[in-house]
Amino acid sequence: MIRRAVACGAAAVILLACGGDGPSGPPGPGAVSSLQITASANTITAGATLSLSATARDASGAIVSGAQVTWSSSATSVATVSQGGVVSGIASGTATITASASGVSSTVQITVTPDDTPASVTLSPASAVALASGSLATLTATVRATDGHTVSTALVSWTSSNSTVATVSAGVVTALKVGTATITATSGSASTSAIVTVTPGPAAELGIQAQPMGAATGTPLSTQPVIEVRDKAGNVVPTATNAVTASIAAGGGTLTGTTTVNAVAGVATFANLIVSGTPGTRTLGFAASGLTSVTSADVVITPSPTALLVIDSTAVTLAVAAGAITPVITLSVKNGGITPLTGLTLSPPSYDAGQPTGWLSVSATGTAAPFVLAIQANATTLAAGTYRAAFAVNAATASNSPVVITVSLIVSPVNPITFGSATEKLRILDIGSAYSPSLSARDAAGLPVPVGTVTFSSRATSVATVNAQGKITAVAEGTTWVVVQGLNAADSVFVIVPRGTAGPVFRSDLTTYLVKAGDVTFVNVYIDTRLTPVGAATVAVGYTTSTPVFNSTVTYTSAAGPPVPVATSPTAGVIRVSVASATPLTGQVALLRLRVSTPGAGLSGVITLTVTDIVAPDGTDLLSLATSTRIPIIVQ
């Protein structure tokens, strides 16, 4: 039996399936022999539709008109098809669409992809966000399509309704000024928002709400200052109760009245500040512990119509060690008014009840303003403690006469301060390195006592610095004394800073510069090669001879080696040492051991350790890398 060949054809993006012959042989003319499905695409998104059409042909390829075509889907949960050939995407997946007519069928595979068109945006956290000024919060946007699936590739843009209150970038919200802002996340045509409320941050600085305005000298300011406690963004901190202190920042004179005011709801309101002194321009400063201070605009102080006592200070504090007399302190008494100021007198000092008397001496010189007050305290008979007295300055022509001046005298025991232990008094410190010498104080019986208030200073801050806690940091090559100063005692450490961390250092093993009279001190001298091998070196050891800090004979012994150094003393006070080796010298190369004796207390001298020539094993000059040192010696 002969079968006809049936060809399957398709247009672009058309999937065609052909049906088979009938069971009893090839169909006759006009009978459906094949179906051809055409479509514009074979992929649609969920929710979209696609129209298919089917063309029936007979065995000769002629179109069979009027053929009844039925449609079906292999997976209606993925895609459905109407009897008109319209395919509807339901959910992601694939479905086979079949067209049938007169027992002949054809199929096409349709792929349904998710619809990623943003349909909604949600934020996390979804509720309103409260932030302190200066803090951050991250909002996360979730974009979903119509069917509810998350569109992870969706682009989200962010905006703030008030960027002075809060800004947003990639969902990160930065709180600035107190207030509210709406943060909106948008993806496509979908968007959602969250309300951000900004509250004040921690107190950080002071600001001026009301600038002080001037007045006549000695009278209350015409406008009293109002100071705000603010966070870093300038918001008033309503919970702040900081104590704010006013002072004269520039222009001189005296500020009286209530100069320290506690903030209420973040605002410190001054009420009775008075600037006394020579007429002119002032500025006031306002400070609070832990906060950045602020300075006022210019305050103009005008002359008083009457004579006015203007004194440098009305509260004087003197400090002295027990058994001593303070230096004379002078105060100037000027006229802050127009009427001449004459006839100045001082009332005798009055002393606090129950305290010793007679220790305060005051006097005035001059016949007309300006007068000079001289104040001195005598603590030769006073024990350690705090004493108070007061005296009055009188002038018949002054409208503010009398002016009372209080004097506080702090008498302290003689408590020696020790800065640095015996292993910390003399230190070689590399650039960038730091150390904190120990600090202690003892009374006359040698018992530990509180150190008290001290200040630290470096005699050469270009070499090493010291902070308020006594931590010393090396800055550049050189030597410096670092000093601690107490009320009536001081002590020091000596710091040597080499040129670098790699170059050789000519040094000793001393860790203190203090020696006792009559003692014998042994000083080992060596080259510390550090990271730079040495081939040969010539050095000079010098010691003070101009004063008898050392006994006339300083003896020395060459190191045992190997290699054995060669030492000579061509002149008093100088020892020259040479050392060389065929193999590289590394580590600590011992040169000499000095035996030094000191005859008497109160003397001081210096041992100098100078590199005059030094080369690497290959002969390269290392002098520019090497560090010479000097060692102070103080005899107790």
Side-chain angles (χ1 to χ4, degrees), residues 92-492:
S92 299
T94 58
T96 300
I97 306 299
T98 302
S100 301
S102 302
V104 178
S105 63
S106 182
T107 61
V108 62
Q109 190 173 31
I110 298 298
T111 300
V112 180
T113 60
D115 180 4
D116 284 343
T117 302
S120 66
V121 181
T122 57
L123 292 178
S124 177
S127 58
V129 178
L131 291 176
S133 175
S135 61
L136 306 176
T138 300
L139 298 179
T140 302
T142 301
V143 180
R144 289 186 172 83
T146 304
D147 63 358
H149 78 270
T150 300
V151 184
S152 59
T153 57
L155 297 178
V156 179
S157 61
W158 298 85
T159 58
S160 170
S161 66
N162 191 338
S163 58
T164 62
V165 172
T167 60
V168 62
S169 176
V172 178
V173 180
T174 302
L176 302 173
K177 297 290 287 184
V178 170
T180 59
T182 301
I183 304 300
T184 301
T186 302
S187 182
S189 60
S191 64
T192 191
S193 301
I195 302 298
V196 173
T197 300
V198 179
T199 57
E205 60 188 28
L206 298 180
I208 299 178
Q209 182 187 106
Q211 289 281 356
M213 301 295 289
T217 180
T219 62
L221 298 176
S222 59
T223 299
Q224 295 288 326
V226 178
I227 307 301
E228 296 176 340
V229 180
R230 299 173 177 174
D231 62 17
K232 287 185 177 181
N235 302 300
V236 176
V237 182
T239 58
T241 58
N242 302 67
V244 180
T245 299
S247 62
I248 294 179
T254 303
L255 183 67
T256 56
T258 306
T259 56
T260 298
V261 174
N262 291 328
V264 177
V267 178
T269 303
F270 291 84
N272 58 357
L273 294 183
I274 298 172
V275 176
S276 299
T278 305
T281 300
R282 311 287 199 279
T283 56
L284 300 185
F286 302 91
S289 178
L291 306 183
T292 302
S293 58
V294 68
T295 302
S296 75
D298 287 347
V299 178
V300 178
I301 303 301
T302 58
S304 169
T306 60
L308 201 69
L309 288 168
V310 177
I311 306 175
D312 291 340
S313 175
T314 58
V316 176
T317 299
L318 305 176
V320 69
I325 300 174
T326 68
V328 175
I329 300 298
T330 59
L331 299 178
S332 176
V333 181
K334 301 184 181 67
N335 184 10
I338 298 175
T339 303
L341 178 61
T342 58
L344 188 79
T345 62
L346 304 179
S347 63
S350 61
Y351 300 88
D352 279 10
Q355 289 194 340
T357 62
W359 53 263
L360 180 62
S361 174
V362 296
S363 62
T365 58
T367 57
F371 297 89
V372 176
L373 299 182
I375 304 172
Q376 189 174 37
N378 186 335
T380 54
T381 61
L382 299 180
T386 300
Y387 304 88
R388 292 180 179 84
F391 66 95
V393 181
N394 311 282
T397 58
S399 61
N400 63 333
S401 177
V403 173
V404 175
I405 297 178
T406 59
V407 178
S408 297
L409 175 62
I410 301 173
V411 179
S412 60
V414 180
N415 295 329
I417 295 175
T418 299
F419 186 35
S421 66
T423 61
E424 299 173 325
K425 300 294 288 184
L426 193 154
R427 178 66 64 94
I428 292 180
L429 199 62
D430 286 322
I431 295 172
S433 298
Y435 87 115
S436 299
S438 58
L439 181 65
S440 62
R442 293 183 179 275
D443 61 16
L447 298 176
V449 293
V451 173
T453 301
V454 296
T455 57
F456 297 91
S457 62
S458 170
R459 297 295 187 236
T461 56
S462 60
V463 175
T465 60
V466 61
N467 67 11
Q469 290 72 46
K471 181 180 180 180
I472 301 169
T473 302
V475 176
E477 179 195 5
T479 61
T480 184
W481 290 98
V482 178
V483 181
V484 60
Q485 180 67 57
L487 185 61
N488 51 29
D491 197 16
S492 306

